[in-house]
Amino acid sequence: MLVSDFAASVEFWCRRLGFAIAYQRPEESFAYLERPEGAQIMLSQRSGKWEIASLDRPYGRAAMFQVYVASAEPVQRSLEATGWPLYAGPREVWREIGDRQVGQQEIFVLDPDGYLVMVADELGERPLSEAR
């Protein structure tokens, strides 16, 4: 993801969303981040090099990133502790998949550049007959 303030974005993704720097190239303002559950994201300071069209704020128009975590609650608490607003949620959602439902707890947040991020944890599955 291209970002307008590399330090602010690394701070948000690591301190608020629980990612860690897997590796970085400081001279290029680039970092590859990951969470213990396996989610990965790359952040790169805007330089014009990879911009194929005009990039206006919010950068994340028409894009949403999903990050599955063991528990969304610590992420939500981290955001609330610093006054970072949720875009939506928390909410519990059950979706039909074939003959069953799968559930997840979700929160939505905008990162410093306006990228929409859904942080979710899985609530499990249940037969459709239990849901009705």
mmCIF file with all atom_site columns, all heavy atoms in Angstrom, residues 2 46 50-59 61:
data_model
loop_
_atom_site.group_PDB
_atom_site.id
_atom_site.type_symbol
_atom_site.label_atom_id
_atom_site.label_alt_id
_atom_site.label_comp_id
_atom_site.label_asym_id
_atom_site.label_entity_id
_atom_site.label_seq_id
_atom_site.pdbx_PDB_ins_code
_atom_site.Cartn_x
_atom_site.Cartn_y
_atom_site.Cartn_z
_atom_site.occupancy
_atom_site.B_iso_or_equiv
_atom_site.pdbx_formal_charge
_atom_site.auth_seq_id
_atom_site.auth_comp_id
_atom_site.auth_asym_id
_atom_site.auth_atom_id
_atom_site.pdbx_PDB_model_num
ATOM 1   N N   . LEU A 1 2  ? 0.532   2.175  -0.825  1.00 0.00 ? 2  LEU A N   1
ATOM 2   C CA  . LEU A 1 2  ? 1.251   3.443  -0.809  1.00 0.00 ? 2  LEU A CA  1
ATOM 3   C C   . LEU A 1 2  ? 0.691   4.307  0.308   1.00 0.00 ? 2  LEU A C   1
ATOM 4   O O   . LEU A 1 2  ? -0.531  4.372  0.496   1.00 0.00 ? 2  LEU A O   1
ATOM 5   C CB  . LEU A 1 2  ? 1.100   4.152  -2.152  1.00 0.00 ? 2  LEU A CB  1
ATOM 6   C CG  . LEU A 1 2  ? 1.682   3.397  -3.347  1.00 0.00 ? 2  LEU A CG  1
ATOM 7   C CD1 . LEU A 1 2  ? 1.410   4.168  -4.631  1.00 0.00 ? 2  LEU A CD1 1
ATOM 8   C CD2 . LEU A 1 2  ? 3.162   3.145  -3.164  1.00 0.00 ? 2  LEU A CD2 1
ATOM 9   N N   . ARG A 1 46 ? 4.854   7.001  -0.507  1.00 0.00 ? 46 ARG A N   1
ATOM 10  C CA  . ARG A 1 46 ? 4.598   7.498  -1.865  1.00 0.00 ? 46 ARG A CA  1
ATOM 11  C C   . ARG A 1 46 ? 5.845   8.176  -2.413  1.00 0.00 ? 46 ARG A C   1
ATOM 12  O O   . ARG A 1 46 ? 6.465   8.985  -1.740  1.00 0.00 ? 46 ARG A O   1
ATOM 13  C CB  . ARG A 1 46 ? 3.481   8.529  -1.850  1.00 0.00 ? 46 ARG A CB  1
ATOM 14  C CG  . ARG A 1 46 ? 2.116   7.961  -1.695  1.00 0.00 ? 46 ARG A CG  1
ATOM 15  C CD  . ARG A 1 46 ? 1.073   9.044  -1.848  1.00 0.00 ? 46 ARG A CD  1
ATOM 16  N NE  . ARG A 1 46 ? 1.084   9.525  -3.235  1.00 0.00 ? 46 ARG A NE  1
ATOM 17  C CZ  . ARG A 1 46 ? 0.427   10.596 -3.635  1.00 0.00 ? 46 ARG A CZ  1
ATOM 18  N NH1 . ARG A 1 46 ? -0.298  11.305 -2.789  1.00 0.00 ? 46 ARG A NH1 1
ATOM 19  N NH2 . ARG A 1 46 ? 0.460   10.972 -4.901  1.00 0.00 ? 46 ARG A NH2 1
ATOM 20  N N   . TRP A 1 50 ? 5.416   3.941  -8.125  1.00 0.00 ? 50 TRP A N   1
ATOM 21  C CA  . TRP A 1 50 ? 4.414   2.902  -8.370  1.00 0.00 ? 50 TRP A CA  1
ATOM 22  C C   . TRP A 1 50 ? 3.016   3.468  -8.569  1.00 0.00 ? 50 TRP A C   1
ATOM 23  O O   . TRP A 1 50 ? 2.055   2.726  -8.593  1.00 0.00 ? 50 TRP A O   1
ATOM 24  C CB  . TRP A 1 50 ? 4.403   1.894  -7.223  1.00 0.00 ? 50 TRP A CB  1
ATOM 25  C CG  . TRP A 1 50 ? 5.717   1.221  -7.039  1.00 0.00 ? 50 TRP A CG  1
ATOM 26  C CD1 . TRP A 1 50 ? 6.586   1.389  -6.000  1.00 0.00 ? 50 TRP A CD1 1
ATOM 27  C CD2 . TRP A 1 50 ? 6.341   0.292  -7.917  1.00 0.00 ? 50 TRP A CD2 1
ATOM 28  N NE1 . TRP A 1 50 ? 7.697   0.627  -6.168  1.00 0.00 ? 50 TRP A NE1 1
ATOM 29  C CE2 . TRP A 1 50 ? 7.576   -0.069 -7.350  1.00 0.00 ? 50 TRP A CE2 1
ATOM 30  C CE3 . TRP A 1 50 ? 5.979   -0.274 -9.133  1.00 0.00 ? 50 TRP A CE3 1
ATOM 31  C CZ2 . TRP A 1 50 ? 8.453   -0.967 -7.954  1.00 0.00 ? 50 TRP A CZ2 1
ATOM 32  C CZ3 . TRP A 1 50 ? 6.860   -1.175 -9.738  1.00 0.00 ? 50 TRP A CZ3 1
ATOM 33  C CH2 . TRP A 1 50 ? 8.070   -1.504 -9.149  1.00 0.00 ? 50 TRP A CH2 1
ATOM 34  N N   . GLU A 1 51 ? 2.889   4.742  -8.733  1.00 0.00 ? 51 GLU A N   1
ATOM 35  C CA  . GLU A 1 51 ? 1.574   5.363  -8.904  1.00 0.00 ? 51 GLU A CA  1
ATOM 36  C C   . GLU A 1 51 ? 1.191   5.353  -10.379 1.00 0.00 ? 51 GLU A C   1
ATOM 37  O O   . GLU A 1 51 ? 1.765   6.066  -11.174 1.00 0.00 ? 51 GLU A O   1
ATOM 38  C CB  . GLU A 1 51 ? 1.595   6.774  -8.329  1.00 0.00 ? 51 GLU A CB  1
ATOM 39  C CG  . GLU A 1 51 ? 1.844   6.761  -6.833  1.00 0.00 ? 51 GLU A CG  1
ATOM 40  C CD  . GLU A 1 51 ? 1.986   8.135  -6.220  1.00 0.00 ? 51 GLU A CD  1
ATOM 41  O OE1 . GLU A 1 51 ? 1.303   9.067  -6.684  1.00 0.00 ? 51 GLU A OE1 1
ATOM 42  O OE2 . GLU A 1 51 ? 2.790   8.267  -5.280  1.00 0.00 ? 51 GLU A OE2 1
ATOM 43  N N   . ILE A 1 52 ? 0.191   4.546  -10.690 1.00 0.00 ? 52 ILE A N   1
ATOM 44  C CA  . ILE A 1 52 ? -0.207  4.385  -12.091 1.00 0.00 ? 52 ILE A CA  1
ATOM 45  C C   . ILE A 1 52 ? -1.338  5.334  -12.480 1.00 0.00 ? 52 ILE A C   1
ATOM 46  O O   . ILE A 1 52 ? -1.714  5.401  -13.639 1.00 0.00 ? 52 ILE A O   1
ATOM 47  C CB  . ILE A 1 52 ? -0.610  2.928  -12.383 1.00 0.00 ? 52 ILE A CB  1
ATOM 48  C CG1 . ILE A 1 52 ? -1.751  2.498  -11.476 1.00 0.00 ? 52 ILE A CG1 1
ATOM 49  C CG2 . ILE A 1 52 ? 0.584   1.998  -12.208 1.00 0.00 ? 52 ILE A CG2 1
ATOM 50  C CD1 . ILE A 1 52 ? -2.353  1.161  -11.824 1.00 0.00 ? 52 ILE A CD1 1
ATOM 51  N N   . ALA A 1 53 ? -1.883  6.040  -11.500 1.00 0.00 ? 53 ALA A N   1
ATOM 52  C CA  . ALA A 1 53 ? -2.936  7.018  -11.755 1.00 0.00 ? 53 ALA A CA  1
ATOM 53  C C   . ALA A 1 53 ? -2.922  8.026  -10.612 1.00 0.00 ? 53 ALA A C   1
ATOM 54  O O   . ALA A 1 53 ? -2.195  7.861  -9.631  1.00 0.00 ? 53 ALA A O   1
ATOM 55  C CB  . ALA A 1 53 ? -4.295  6.329  -11.844 1.00 0.00 ? 53 ALA A CB  1
ATOM 56  N N   . SER A 1 54 ? -3.737  9.031  -10.724 1.00 0.00 ? 54 SER A N   1
ATOM 57  C CA  . SER A 1 54 ? -3.838  10.044 -9.680  1.00 0.00 ? 54 SER A CA  1
ATOM 58  C C   . SER A 1 54 ? -4.220  9.368  -8.358  1.00 0.00 ? 54 SER A C   1
ATOM 59  O O   . SER A 1 54 ? -5.085  8.493  -8.316  1.00 0.00 ? 54 SER A O   1
ATOM 60  C CB  . SER A 1 54 ? -4.896  11.067 -10.072 1.00 0.00 ? 54 SER A CB  1
ATOM 61  O OG  . SER A 1 54 ? -5.102  11.976 -9.022  1.00 0.00 ? 54 SER A OG  1
ATOM 62  N N   . LEU A 1 55 ? -3.575  9.779  -7.287  1.00 0.00 ? 55 LEU A N   1
ATOM 63  C CA  . LEU A 1 55 ? -3.840  9.205  -5.973  1.00 0.00 ? 55 LEU A CA  1
ATOM 64  C C   . LEU A 1 55 ? -4.294  10.324 -5.047  1.00 0.00 ? 55 LEU A C   1
ATOM 65  O O   . LEU A 1 55 ? -3.501  11.122 -4.576  1.00 0.00 ? 55 LEU A O   1
ATOM 66  C CB  . LEU A 1 55 ? -2.577  8.524  -5.429  1.00 0.00 ? 55 LEU A CB  1
ATOM 67  C CG  . LEU A 1 55 ? -2.723  7.693  -4.175  1.00 0.00 ? 55 LEU A CG  1
ATOM 68  C CD1 . LEU A 1 55 ? -3.745  6.578  -4.373  1.00 0.00 ? 55 LEU A CD1 1
ATOM 69  C CD2 . LEU A 1 55 ? -1.373  7.082  -3.794  1.00 0.00 ? 55 LEU A CD2 1
ATOM 70  N N   . ASP A 1 56 ? -5.609  10.365 -4.851  1.00 0.00 ? 56 ASP A N   1
ATOM 71  C CA  . ASP A 1 56 ? -6.204  11.383 -3.990  1.00 0.00 ? 56 ASP A CA  1
ATOM 72  C C   . ASP A 1 56 ? -6.727  10.729 -2.719  1.00 0.00 ? 56 ASP A C   1
ATOM 73  O O   . ASP A 1 56 ? -7.110  9.563  -2.721  1.00 0.00 ? 56 ASP A O   1
ATOM 74  C CB  . ASP A 1 56 ? -7.363  12.079 -4.719  1.00 0.00 ? 56 ASP A CB  1
ATOM 75  C CG  . ASP A 1 56 ? -6.906  12.764 -5.997  1.00 0.00 ? 56 ASP A CG  1
ATOM 76  O OD1 . ASP A 1 56 ? -5.883  13.463 -5.960  1.00 0.00 ? 56 ASP A OD1 1
ATOM 77  O OD2 . ASP A 1 56 ? -7.572  12.571 -7.033  1.00 0.00 ? 56 ASP A OD2 1
ATOM 78  N N   . ARG A 1 57 ? -6.791  11.510 -1.637  1.00 0.00 ? 57 ARG A N   1
ATOM 79  C CA  . ARG A 1 57 ? -7.304  10.997 -0.371  1.00 0.00 ? 57 ARG A CA  1
ATOM 80  C C   . ARG A 1 57 ? -8.814  10.889 -0.431  1.00 0.00 ? 57 ARG A C   1
ATOM 81  O O   . ARG A 1 57 ? -9.438  11.725 -1.043  1.00 0.00 ? 57 ARG A O   1
ATOM 82  C CB  . ARG A 1 57 ? -6.886  11.922 0.771   1.00 0.00 ? 57 ARG A CB  1
ATOM 83  C CG  . ARG A 1 57 ? -5.380  11.882 1.004   1.00 0.00 ? 57 ARG A CG  1
ATOM 84  C CD  . ARG A 1 57 ? -4.996  12.748 2.178   1.00 0.00 ? 57 ARG A CD  1
ATOM 85  N NE  . ARG A 1 57 ? -5.498  12.198 3.420   1.00 0.00 ? 57 ARG A NE  1
ATOM 86  C CZ  . ARG A 1 57 ? -4.813  11.377 4.193   1.00 0.00 ? 57 ARG A CZ  1
ATOM 87  N NH1 . ARG A 1 57 ? -3.605  11.023 3.852   1.00 0.00 ? 57 ARG A NH1 1
ATOM 88  N NH2 . ARG A 1 57 ? -5.329  10.925 5.299   1.00 0.00 ? 57 ARG A NH2 1
ATOM 89  N N   . PRO A 1 58 ? -9.422  9.910  0.193   1.00 0.00 ? 58 PRO A N   1
ATOM 90  C CA  . PRO A 1 58 ? -8.753  8.801  0.870   1.00 0.00 ? 58 PRO A CA  1
ATOM 91  C C   . PRO A 1 58 ? -8.217  7.799  -0.153  1.00 0.00 ? 58 PRO A C   1
ATOM 92  O O   . PRO A 1 58 ? -8.866  7.537  -1.167  1.00 0.00 ? 58 PRO A O   1
ATOM 93  C CB  . PRO A 1 58 ? -9.856  8.186  1.726   1.00 0.00 ? 58 PRO A CB  1
ATOM 94  C CG  . PRO A 1 58 ? -11.111 8.477  0.973   1.00 0.00 ? 58 PRO A CG  1
ATOM 95  C CD  . PRO A 1 58 ? -10.879 9.815  0.299   1.00 0.00 ? 58 PRO A CD  1
ATOM 96  N N   . TYR A 1 59 ? -7.046  7.259  0.106   1.00 0.00 ? 59 TYR A N   1
ATOM 97  C CA  . TYR A 1 59 ? -6.396  6.356  -0.852  1.00 0.00 ? 59 TYR A CA  1
ATOM 98  C C   . TYR A 1 59 ? -7.173  5.074  -1.059  1.00 0.00 ? 59 TYR A C   1
ATOM 99  O O   . TYR A 1 59 ? -7.122  4.476  -2.116  1.00 0.00 ? 59 TYR A O   1
ATOM 100 C CB  . TYR A 1 59 ? -4.993  5.982  -0.381  1.00 0.00 ? 59 TYR A CB  1
ATOM 101 C CG  . TYR A 1 59 ? -3.997  7.121  -0.346  1.00 0.00 ? 59 TYR A CG  1
ATOM 102 C CD1 . TYR A 1 59 ? -2.742  6.917  0.165   1.00 0.00 ? 59 TYR A CD1 1
ATOM 103 C CD2 . TYR A 1 59 ? -4.314  8.376  -0.818  1.00 0.00 ? 59 TYR A CD2 1
ATOM 104 C CE1 . TYR A 1 59 ? -1.823  7.937  0.212   1.00 0.00 ? 59 TYR A CE1 1
ATOM 105 C CE2 . TYR A 1 59 ? -3.396  9.406  -0.769  1.00 0.00 ? 59 TYR A CE2 1
ATOM 106 C CZ  . TYR A 1 59 ? -2.141  9.178  -0.260  1.00 0.00 ? 59 TYR A CZ  1
ATOM 107 O OH  . TYR A 1 59 ? -1.232  10.186 -0.204  1.00 0.00 ? 59 TYR A OH  1
ATOM 108 N N   . ARG A 1 61 ? -10.242 4.224  -1.539  1.00 0.00 ? 61 ARG A N   1
ATOM 109 C CA  . ARG A 1 61 ? -11.556 4.170  -2.180  1.00 0.00 ? 61 ARG A CA  1
ATOM 110 C C   . ARG A 1 61 ? -11.709 2.880  -2.972  1.00 0.00 ? 61 ARG A C   1
ATOM 111 O O   . ARG A 1 61 ? -10.836 2.518  -3.748  1.00 0.00 ? 61 ARG A O   1
ATOM 112 C CB  . ARG A 1 61 ? -11.736 5.368  -3.109  1.00 0.00 ? 61 ARG A CB  1
ATOM 113 C CG  . ARG A 1 61 ? -11.981 6.647  -2.321  1.00 0.00 ? 61 ARG A CG  1
ATOM 114 C CD  . ARG A 1 61 ? -12.047 7.833  -3.201  1.00 0.00 ? 61 ARG A CD  1
ATOM 115 N NE  . ARG A 1 61 ? -10.663 8.159  -3.557  1.00 0.00 ? 61 ARG A NE  1
ATOM 116 C CZ  . ARG A 1 61 ? -10.318 8.855  -4.599  1.00 0.00 ? 61 ARG A CZ  1
ATOM 117 N NH1 . ARG A 1 61 ? -11.224 9.311  -5.412  1.00 0.00 ? 61 ARG A NH1 1
ATOM 118 N NH2 . ARG A 1 61 ? -9.061  9.116  -4.829  1.00 0.00 ? 61 ARG A NH2 1
#
